[in-house]
Amino acid sequence: MVEAQTTTGWVRGFVRDGIATFRGVPYAAAPTAELRFCPPQPADPWTGVRDATAQAAACPQPALPRLFDKLDPADPTAKFVERYDEDCLTVNVFTPAVDSAARPVMVWLHGGWFSVGSGNEPCYDGSNLCRMGDVVVVTVNHRLGALGFLSLAGCGDDRFESSANHGLLDIVEALKWVRDNIAQFGGDPARVTVFGESGGAAKISMLLGVDQARGLFHRAIVQSGPMLRAVEIERANAAAAALFTELGITSIQELRELPVAAIIDAQNTVLGGPLGGLYGDGPQMAATIDGRIIEQHPFDPAASPPSHGVALLIGSCRDEASMMVATVPGIDSMEPERQVKLLTDNVFGHALDDLVERYAATRPEASVAERFLAAVTDQIRIGGITMAERAVAAGGQAHMYRVDHVPSVYGGKLGAPHTIDVGFAFANTDADAGVTSPNRGLYQDRDVSRLTEEISGAWIAFARNGHPGHAGLQEWPSYRPERRSTMIFGPQSGIVDDPESEEREIWRGRDGGM
């Protein structure tokens, strides 16, 4: 066992293979009872030593089908999250030692858009990253969906005026906790890097537009999830109105008295599924321009002031969309035209319709479905390019990467899919590492060991000194529009200038993003 002192009391964690782990450490008060739908409040202090050896609760959320359910159901480690509860504002801390070494700090924001996911998932275990890079890793749990991003503005009660962004304010509070406590866990509060994938990257994008987050982190890694624009308040208010109608209520007080399961079920219906609002033009419950927490779009039409001075590492996977549609029942047996219709009508919307034909020039042998998925993938890639361009135009520094590793699982049909970068970033790719990963089958090929060292090494170097280059990689220039240097992590990793430039040109006049 190992103990550390925080501003609210002592905590006791455990040591395994040389890494000290503290789970479920509160960074704010439980947002329950009178605090439901309110801004995060300071955590209550405790006496004695609080046990921090067991997994804490994740935020209540709708069930999300697993993409590749290959884990043994008899294996207790196959359960990603043990329980869900509104009392979920906690962090997990992984550190090489509880000392005064002032190591770089890496704060992870989990994926799952703004509605599902957890910092407790085993694939986010920070032990290997700590061991490889002598860094401190923190993973965050925060409010999701209606509990964290439901707009109740205009009700005349100041407690709820910023409710469309309370999940984001939770993350700000977690970063304040890091600032005030991480030195006690061997970390350096002056060298904090936030990193996240998919929805986690979208949250980081939004934090780069939040004035209250200034100075709480110094570098940011945006993995497969650039979000250039926040939700407009009108759209957020419409989602709230639809939720009230679905629940058959007319007041916030009625909402606050409902069982959490009823709220989550209604959210799932209103949004059209667990990840509803990620694409298309329907209701959304996500970070919103409310004039209080977010005053302007973080990266549209330019990089907003809170992002200035934050070094960025931005990238994507070569075939993002293959993973995103893997759960659609029966899609592999459909005709290509029917695949596209199903995906546009029910998942992605029709915003990319005019682009698909233009991909025929660059992919003449591809089916209409393959060209459509290429456009969906490029929506993320182009969003990252736009973010980098606008950051650089504001005097900032950015580096760009792409992951091209194609796992042999499923006959290589996935290409280099969405989420493949997570295992590499955390160095959680070794089947003997003792870390259960939902994507374990993606990391069984010959190149995995090398790519793990290259990618996790780049993330560690970036957290340490603001530049992702290291001895195991070719020299990595910063991103500039005149050259567009991009590190391609693949069979032979190296720098490529302006990869897929013809398809980038297809997007001229459009800025992509989630």
Side-chain angles (χ1 to χ4, degrees):
M1 295 294 180
V2 61
E3 296 181 357
Q5 187 176 20
T6 75
T7 53
T8 46
W10 284 83
V11 290
R12 179 184 295 115
F14 62 90
V15 178
R16 179 178 297 156
D17 296 333
I19 300 301
T21 300
F22 299 83
R23 298 190 184 278
V25 181
Y27 62 82
T32 57
E34 288 303 308
L35 294 182
R36 193 190 243 186
F37 298 108
C38 290
Q41 300 299 308
D44 296 323
W46 58 86
T47 58
V49 181
R50 183 186 181 107
D51 182 76
T53 61
Q55 186 185 97
C59 183
Q61 57 194 267
L64 181 68
R66 294 183 187 176
L67 295 178
F68 304 103
D69 196 358
K70 300 297 182 182
L71 298 176
D72 181 358
D75 178 0
T77 63
K79 192 172 185 179
F80 300 163
V81 178
E82 294 175 357
R83 62 189 180 91
Y84 299 90
D85 193 277
E86 288 183 82
D87 182 3
C88 63
L89 303 187
T90 62
V91 292
N92 305 308
V93 182
F94 306 85
T95 180
V98 176
D99 56 21
S100 57
R103 299 172 180 85
V105 181
M106 302 180 70
V107 178
W108 174 258
L109 302 183
H110 65 77
W113 191 228
F114 289 80
S115 52
V116 300
S118 165
N120 299 338
E121 295 181 24
C123 57
Y124 304 149
D125 186 295
S127 301
N128 287 337
L129 198 54
C130 290
R131 195 174 291 112
M132 285 188 66
D134 195 33
V135 297
V136 176
V137 177
V138 178
T139 65
V140 179
N141 288 306
H142 57 85
R143 283 175 285 184
L144 298 165
L147 296 172
F149 297 97
L150 180 69
S151 177
L152 302 173
C155 67
D157 189 328
D158 196 60
R159 293 175 299 171
F160 310 119
E161 287 301 306
S162 58
S163 64
N165 289 308
H166 284 171
L168 211 57
L169 287 186
D170 292 346
I171 299 171
V172 171
E173 286 302 308
L175 290 169
K176 289 179 180 177
W177 184 94
V178 169
R179 178 195 63 194
D180 298 338
N181 292 280
I182 207 64
Q184 303 298 321
F185 295 82
D188 182 359
R191 279 192 296 174
V192 175
T193 298
V194 290
F195 69 131
E197 186 268 345
S198 192
K203 295 162 199 167
I204 289 170
S205 303
M206 294 295 101
L207 285 175
L208 288 163
V210 174
D211 197 62
Q212 292 184 38
R214 284 201 207 207
L216 297 177
F217 61 95
H218 315 94
R219 292 146 196 164
I221 305 176
V222 180
Q223 301 176 218
S224 299
M227 186 176 176
L228 308 181
R229 291 169 293 277
V231 176
E232 298 289 354
I233 189 64
E234 295 80 10
R235 189 175 183 186
N237 289 343
L243 185 78
F244 272 55
T245 299
E246 177 65 25
L247 289 166
I249 60 174
T250 58
S251 71
I252 295 175
Q253 188 56 39
E254 290 177 280
L255 178 67
R256 299 175 83 201
E257 293 172 355
L258 286 172
V260 68
I263 297 173
I264 299 303
D265 286 347
Q267 167 196 316
N268 204 38
T269 299
V270 167
L271 296 182
L275 293 176
L278 175 56
Y279 289 103
D281 55 5
Q284 277 196 332
M285 295 175 192
T288 298
I289 292 185
D290 60 358
R292 290 182 171 225
I293 309 306
I294 301 178
E295 297 183 9
Q296 64 186 83
H297 294 301
F299 287 93
D300 184 35
S304 63
S307 72
H308 297 176
V310 178
L312 301 178
L313 176 57
I314 307 168
S316 60
C317 302
R318 195 194 66 190
D319 304 290
E320 296 278 356
S322 66
M323 180 74 81
M324 293 180 179
V325 301
T327 57
V328 179
I331 194 168
D332 286 341
S333 61
M334 295 179 187
E335 291 296 319
E337 289 76 10
R338 189 180 171 204
Q339 290 179 339
V340 172
K341 179 171 174 47
L342 176 70
L343 293 172
T344 52
D345 287 349
N346 298 289
V347 183
F348 296 108
H350 291 265
L352 304 179
D353 283 356
D354 61 309
L355 292 178
V356 176
E357 287 188 16
R358 299 176 66 185
Y359 275 76
T362 57
R363 300 176 185 236
E365 304 300 319
S367 70
V368 64
E370 289 168 338
R371 295 198 296 270
F372 175 78
L373 294 180
V376 173
T377 289
D378 272 354
Q379 187 168 13
I380 292 176
R381 180 174 75 100
I382 299 301
I385 289 173
T386 302
M387 178 181 285
E389 289 175 344
R390 291 174 180 171
V392 170
Q397 173 187 303
H399 285 81
M400 186 72 67
Y401 73 88
R402 192 179 75 195
V403 177
D404 280 18
H405 173 67
V406 177
S408 59
V409 67
Y410 305 108
K413 290 194 301 182
L414 291 174
H418 192 64
T419 77
I420 189 71
D421 51 333
V422 174
F424 292 125
F426 273 90
N428 286 341
T429 56
D430 188 344
D432 298 322
V435 179
T436 300
S437 167
N439 296 334
R440 174 56 48 75
L442 301 180
Y443 304 111
Q444 297 178 340
D445 299 293
R446 182 182 59 188
D447 291 343
V448 163
S449 178
R450 171 182 58 80
L451 286 166
T452 299
E453 292 183 2
E454 290 176 348
I455 295 174
S456 62
W459 272 225
I460 291 164
F462 185 74
R464 189 170 299 283
N465 56 42
H467 191 291
H470 60 83
L473 290 174
Q474 179 184 347
E475 182 181 353
W476 191 342
S478 59
Y479 193 83
R480 291 288 184 272
E482 59 271 18
R483 182 175 171 186
R484 303 183 185 278
S485 300
T486 303
M487 179 64 72
I488 305 295
F489 291 108
Q492 291 182 319
S493 299
I495 291 293
V496 174
D497 290 341
D498 201 5
E500 274 66 63
S501 58
E502 289 180 90
E503 293 184 344
R504 178 182 58 77
E505 284 294 328
I506 289 175
W507 284 77
R508 184 175 291 277
R510 302 171 71 155
D511 52 16
M514 296 180 75

